[in-house]
């Protein structure tokens, strides 16, 4: 059992959870007692955004505190360089024990099933990601062989080349997966109940390893606990499905892009709204069941912190990498469709040592880069700086984000007025036709789709469901022009603070 003075930072992260759905759950859909307890202890940032709503770029911004242009991961398919400073490295150098459990996705998932995450500053790594093949699957084979075939059937990323020669023996795991999916055909659908108990699930496996790290570690500790769910396919354990009140699930908002068409949405893949094709109610039921399961795991982590004597001096941050449309607007997924369920993410910050002050909810515009800045601040370790060649040029602060700690205790902190959100290539299309740039202010969301894709402008205060595109309304021409100018400046300034990649010195020749 750890003893003595010890500080604890927990970055508890889920995948593809929109703030909208965590908020909706409270309206009689499903009980989330552990999320409720965390919110009561901490501060909820209700206007938190993913600055690039897809896995790798958002996760790189979270761990580095830098913009996409600075860390270089502008889309999935890029690996974050370990040479770019990140918070795990900084804590490790400062003598903290560091652990990563679950999904990191700082390395491209189809590149390797065994990425080297020790190079990113982690002492202990138990990695399992969307592909599911790897450490978790090997554990099922060894410890729960009766569920191995069922677990194989859930491996949906069969395009990973490594599956053809898997493990030390080089077995053809892809063929085994395809055979297992014939035995468990439901596992190939977009939404299904796991064909094995919750205790065998990838989600529980991640928690188990994190708890072991917490229980055995002495001194200052940083644990990055990151789950794959509720990423699609929506596949909760069967034990949690009946906890969802199906009658309370809201109907999807209408497909605004059908009633106010712009060129971007004329692509073939947008021919029909998703709610006209899929069983949206069943998919939402399973998505919320995943939240119930994640709430259970959150409770396990919180209990472990208390039992280890770590609850009194702890920074606990909960967030998601990006959102999920979940059939609102007739869409599924995320990417460049910058509607609220895609870009607005949950963010709760609990500082048990500093307290939450009188405010339990803040509405300032915050973003993923603020998370690393908050951890640097709370842990009292220096932020990375860019050195300069000329003495007359001061060192430059490398972080794009700002510490959220002042907002947890003080109403007087001035804050940013707008946020840049960007999307680039996706696996649907590798061209500027799928690029988008958005400026989000307190009142408006203005998006420019590149390559002639058109514009969207929504007054999100009066029209929170984004049903009326005002981009072509003469009454809002002045608002649009102002936002377009601000968007240009934000886009250019995404490159400042300067990138540390390959840098010798600022201000040289």
């Amino acid at each position: 059992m750890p003893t003595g003075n010890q500080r604890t930072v927990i970055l508890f992260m889920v995948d593809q959870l929109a703030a909208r759905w965590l908020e909706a759950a409270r309206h009689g859909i499903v009980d989330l007692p552990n999320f409720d307890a965390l919110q009561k202890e901490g501060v909820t940032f209700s206007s938190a955004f993913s600055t690039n709503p897809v896995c790798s770029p958002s996760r790189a911004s979270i761990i580095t505190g830098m913009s996409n242009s600075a860390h270089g991961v502008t889309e999935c398919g890029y690996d974050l360089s370990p040479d770019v400073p990140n918070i795990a490295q900084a804590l490790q150098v400062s003598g903290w024990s560091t652990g990563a459990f679950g999904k990191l996705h700082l390395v491209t998932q189809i590149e390797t099933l065994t990425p080297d995450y020790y190079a990113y500053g982690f002492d202990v790594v138990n990695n399992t990601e969307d592909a599911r093949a790897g450490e978790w699957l090997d554990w099922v084979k060894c410890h729960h062989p009766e569920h191995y075939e069922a677990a194989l059937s859930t491996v949906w990323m069969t395009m990973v080349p490594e599956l053809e020669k898997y493990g030390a023996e080089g077995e053809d795991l892809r063929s085994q997966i395809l055979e297992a999916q014939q035995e468990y055909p439901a596992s190939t659908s977009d939404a299904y109940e796991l064909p094995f108990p919750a205790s065998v699930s990838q989600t529980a496996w991640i928690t188990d390893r994190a708890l072991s790290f917490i229980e055995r570690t002495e001194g200052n500790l940083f644990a990055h606990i990151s789950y794959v769910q509720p990423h699609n396919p929506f596949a909760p354990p069967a034990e949690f499905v009946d906890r969802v009140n199906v009658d309370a699930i809201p109907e999807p908002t209408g497909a605004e892009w059908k009633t106010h068409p712009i060129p971007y949405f004329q692509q073939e893949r947008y021919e029909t709204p998703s709610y006209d094709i899929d069983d949206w109610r069943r998919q939402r039921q399973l998505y919320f069941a995943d939240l119930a399961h994640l709430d259970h795991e959150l409770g396990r982590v919180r209990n472990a912190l208390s039992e280890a004597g770590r609850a009194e001096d702890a920074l606990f941050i909960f967030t998601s990498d990006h959102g999920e449309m979940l059939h609102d607007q007739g869409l599924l997924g995320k990417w460049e469709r910058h509607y609220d369920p895609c870009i607005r993410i949950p963010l709760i910050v609990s500082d048990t040592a500093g307290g939450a002050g009188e405010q339990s909810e803040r509405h300032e515009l915050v973003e993923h880069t603020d998370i690393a800045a908050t951890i640097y601040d709370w842990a009292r370790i220096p932020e990375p700086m860019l050195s300069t060649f000329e003495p007359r040029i001061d060192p430059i602060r490398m972080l794009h984000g700002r510490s959220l700690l002042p907002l947890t205790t003080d109403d007087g902190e001035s804050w940013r007025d707008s946020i840049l959100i960007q999307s680039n290539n996706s696996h649907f299309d590798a061209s500027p036709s799928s690029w988008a740039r958005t400026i989000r202010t307190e009142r408006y969301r203005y998006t420019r789709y590149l390559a002639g894709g058109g514009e969207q402008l929504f007054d999100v205060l009066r029209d929170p469901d984004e049903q009326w595109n005002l981009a072509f309304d003469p009454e809002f021409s002045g608002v649009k022009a102002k936002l377009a100018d601000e968007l240009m400046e934000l886009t250019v300034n995404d490159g400042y603070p300067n990138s540390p990649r390959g840098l010798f010195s600022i201000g040289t020749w």
Side-chain angles (χ1 to χ4, degrees), residues 54-71:
V54 70
C55 294
S56 291
S58 62
R59 291 166 182 271
S61 290
I62 289 171
I63 198 168
T64 66
M66 300 177 197
S67 69
N68 285 192
S69 298
H71 59 61

Side-chain angles (χ1 to χ4, degrees), residues 11 13 57-65 87 319-321 368 371-372:
L11 176 55
M13 190 170 168
S58 62
R59 291 166 182 271
S61 290
I62 289 171
I63 198 168
T64 66
I87 190 61
T319 194
S320 174
D321 54 354
H368 274 150
I371 291 174

Side-chain angles (χ1 to χ4, degrees), residues 7 35 110 117 143 145 165 173 259 272 297 321 323 349 366 490 509:
R7 310 194 81 205
F35 281 115
I110 65 170
Y117 282 126
H143 296 279
K165 294 182 178 180
L173 194 63
T259 55
T272 305
E297 302 306 298
D321 54 354
V349 176
V366 303
L490 285 175
W509 52 85

Side-chain angles (χ1 to χ4, degrees), residues 231-251:
H231 191 290
N232 63 303
F234 311 127
E239 304 98 295
F240 290 86
V241 175
D242 289 341
R243 300 189 186 192
V244 179
N245 179 4
V246 178
D247 294 334
I249 295 175
E251 292 190 3

Side-chain angles (χ1 to χ4, degrees), residues 149-170:
E149 188 173 10
L152 273 176
S153 74
T154 68
V155 179
W156 63 271
M157 293 186 71
T158 55
M159 75 290 286
V160 178
E162 197 172 335
L163 294 177
E164 295 179 357
K165 294 182 178 180
Y166 182 78
E169 298 179 0

Side-chain angles (χ1 to χ4, degrees), residues 1 9 29 40 49 71 85 158 160 261 295 340 373 387 390 405 424 428 464 467 476 479 486 499-500 505:
M1 177 73 67
V9 174
I29 297 176
K40 289 179 181 178
F49 293 89
H71 59 61
T158 55
V160 178
D295 181 85
D340 181 82
S387 63
E390 289 283 352
L405 294 184
N424 303 301
F428 292 107
Q467 293 294 295
F476 288 86
V479 171
E486 293 178 5
S499 174
S505 179

Side-chain angles (χ1 to χ4, degrees), residues 21 77 79 144 172 176 253 277 279 286 293 311 393 398 411 439 445 450 467 500:
W21 307 126
D79 296 349
H144 296 279
D172 182 2
Q176 297 179 38
T253 61
I277 303 172
D279 186 350
L286 296 184
H293 187 203
I393 302 177
M398 199 177 294
D411 290 340
I439 180 173
R445 192 263 285 183
L450 277 67
Q467 293 294 295

